[in-house]
Amino acid sequence: MTDETRAITLSSYPRAIVHLDGDAFFTSVEQSIHPGWKGRPMVTGKERGIIACASYEAKRLGIKRGLALHEAQRMCPALLVVPSDYETYSIYSKRMFTIMRRFTPMVEENSIDEGFADLTGLRRLHHTSYEQIARNMKLAIQQELDLTVSVGLSLTKGLAKLCSKFRKPDGFTAVAGYHLHLLLARTPLGEVWGFGPNTTNLLHKHGLANALDFVQRPEAWAGQQLGKLGREIWHELRGDVMYPVTTEEKSSYATISKCKTFTAPSADREFIFAKLVRNVESACIKLRRHRLRTGLLTLVLRRRDYSQTALEARLNRATAVPQDLMPVITQAFAALYTPGAEYRSTMVVMGKLEEDREEQYELFQDRVRLDHLADVTRAVDQINQRLGKHKVALGTALFLGHHPVTARDDLPLRKQNLLPGETPRRRLNIPRLDLPAHGEGLPGA
């Protein structure tokens, strides 16, 4: 047996890790609740002017995520374009993970449309093989949600993620330990989870072409070239778990960011500033929800042509209160904004996060003002929690309406078709199915 075909391990499944990845998740959800749209090339992202997700019918025409809508419509005049309905996507995501948890309690939500599950030791409980458990999970999601998912099964999260990519869409790939070398030999370095373009280029310079070439180098070499991350990936690809499936929700953050793309580019100074402040308010809400404060603020204005300007400000006192940040934001915005230029989005990134604990005031700080702001912020949070996000906001919110209404302001159908008793802000967590009368518009009708 040659080095290229020698098995890395003879164990079949010392651990059984599943990676489940939704196929074109946003458009698949839209086609699930609007059956008449199935089989049609469609995209979401009408509100941004950029494709957020493309159906596989659209992908076959060369239309992909990040492409400008006008360019996509030039490529396919019959393209169906809809605004993103993130509320409904979130509902489907929660239901998908609920189905996964019926098979194992060890489920990790990696993103809205993908997750990991640890099936180790569950063959006796389910009276079947690991492969069949994973297939049953995939089938349940398809039958109950009318969504296809691609599933990978192997020994580690890194390997399972490679497997799920192998046969998309609607794929299933299981690779036992004694077949790892076959999978790795077919895996380009750029597809390895954790390898970016720079790492891939570095490894190519050392004569490596695929993942098998990488794991056949000594562990010490991987660590020398790529550090701790390189060693961890080396072990993961060889079937040694370095990143266990974890069920805890994410509670630690290095940064918190909020970005909002306008439905149409704008040169209105008050409107752009109001959008920036709204991002700051949203980021501060998240900080307070996780009992954090920020000591570093980065503000970004992105122009119509996607060029951008940014400014970083270090705070002399960490905070999670927007009013504390307004002097810095006002000064930074004045330095970033170019009169007459059209902008398409604003972004705020909050770093140097620390736990929000009982504060030790400095000698010359205005303690009365700080205590007053803390009381006001708590009251605002309570009101907004009861009545809806941003019901009480800073005065700049008055300028958010200074914007022409265009086709990109169209609401998702779920927000247009409210159930009795619902409001635009408060709705039941129930998607609304759009079933054509007498089967009209259904596939095959």
Side-chain angles (χ1 to χ4, degrees), residues 80-345:
L80 175 60
V81 181
V82 300
S84 302
D85 184 0
Y86 293 108
E87 181 181 41
T88 297
Y89 307 154
S90 177
I91 293 171
Y92 268 72
S93 174
K94 290 176 182 177
R95 293 184 179 180
M96 183 177 74
F97 288 117
T98 297
I99 293 172
M100 292 176 68
R101 290 187 178 95
R102 295 210 304 255
F103 294 86
T104 172
M106 295 296 294
V107 172
E108 177 181 337
E109 301 181 20
N110 196 49
S111 69
I112 191 171
D113 64 344
E114 65 171 314
F116 295 96
D118 190 339
L119 304 182
T120 309
L122 297 180
R123 285 178 292 193
R124 180 175 297 179
L125 177 65
H126 291 281
H127 305 290
T128 189
S129 66
Y130 289 134
E131 290 189 19
Q132 193 58 49
I133 297 172
R135 286 185 183 276
N136 291 344
M137 183 185 297
K138 170 180 165 62
L139 181 62
I141 291 171
Q142 184 167 356
Q143 289 179 338
E144 297 180 33
L145 300 182
D146 193 22
L147 299 178
T148 65
V149 294
S150 294
V151 174
L153 169 66
S154 196
L155 279 61
T156 67
K157 289 166 70 172
L159 289 169
K161 195 171 176 72
L162 287 181
C163 291
S164 66
K165 290 181 180 178
F166 202 68
R167 294 186 178 95
K168 285 184 72 71
D170 198 18
F172 181 89
T173 303
V175 178
Y178 44 74
H179 287 151
L180 288 184
H181 60 290
L182 301 178
L183 172 68
L184 298 180
R186 300 180 186 182
T187 302
L189 291 169
E191 293 186 10
V192 174
W193 190 27
F195 283 177
N198 291 335
T199 299
T200 301
N201 288 333
L202 171 64
L203 297 178
H204 283 160
K205 286 180 172 61
H206 285 280
L208 278 62
N210 54 51
L212 183 61
D213 293 338
F214 177 70
V215 301
Q216 287 180 333
R217 294 293 181 102
E219 177 189 359
W221 183 89
Q224 182 182 15
Q225 299 298 322
L226 305 177
K228 178 174 179 287
L229 179 63
R231 289 179 182 271
E232 291 174 347
I233 294 176
W234 186 87
H235 279 287
E236 280 272 317
L237 294 178
R238 294 180 67 88
D240 305 321
V241 172
M242 301 301 292
Y243 309 120
V245 175
T246 175
T247 59
E248 291 82 12
E249 290 187 19
K250 185 174 181 180
S251 59
S252 60
Y253 293 86
T255 61
I256 285 178
S257 62
K258 292 292 180 180
C259 179
K260 187 67 175 178
T261 300
F262 315 152
T263 53
S266 174
D268 188 313
R269 188 183 195 281
E270 286 76 17
F271 171 78
I272 298 166
F273 182 65
K275 282 289 191 180
L276 179 63
V277 173
R278 176 53 56 89
N279 285 338
V280 172
E281 288 183 291
S282 297
C284 284
I285 289 172
K286 188 170 184 178
L287 284 176
R288 295 195 296 272
R289 185 166 67 245
H290 293 284
R291 300 183 182 278
L292 297 171
R293 298 182 299 193
T294 179
L296 180 67
L297 199 63
T298 302
L299 305 176
V300 181
L301 300 184
R302 181 170 295 169
R303 299 187 184 91
R304 186 187 190 115
D305 62 0
Y306 294 95
S307 64
Q308 63 185 34
T309 53
L311 192 148
E312 183 178 277
R314 292 183 178 273
L315 309 177
N316 57 16
R317 172 181 161 273
T319 184
V321 179
Q323 292 92 325
D324 271 345
L325 299 171
M326 285 304 294
V328 175
I329 296 167
T330 302
Q331 186 176 357
F333 181 81
L336 293 172
Y337 176 75
T338 300
E342 286 192 321
Y343 292 88
R344 63 177 296 108
S345 66

Side-chain angles (χ1 to χ4, degrees), residues 4-79:
E4 287 74 17
T5 59
R6 184 179 298 127
I8 295 172
T9 175
L10 296 179
S11 300
S12 57
Y13 286 105
R15 289 157 305 279
I17 308 298
V18 163
H19 180 250
L20 186 146
D21 188 9
D23 298 323
F25 188 72
F26 294 171
T27 52
S28 294
V29 170
E30 295 287 355
Q31 291 173 334
S32 173
I33 60 180
H34 306 288
W37 294 353
K38 289 187 177 183
R40 296 180 57 182
M42 68 170 297
V43 298
T44 65
K46 184 177 183 179
E47 76 287 354
R48 300 173 56 207
I50 301 173
I51 294 173
C53 180
S55 69
Y56 277 91
E57 295 85 358
K59 287 180 179 181
R60 284 192 283 269
L61 300 174
I63 298 170
K64 58 185 179 180
R65 185 175 184 270
L67 188 69
L69 281 179
H70 66 83
E71 183 67 19
Q73 289 171 317
R74 183 188 64 79
M75 297 167 65
C76 177
L79 184 68

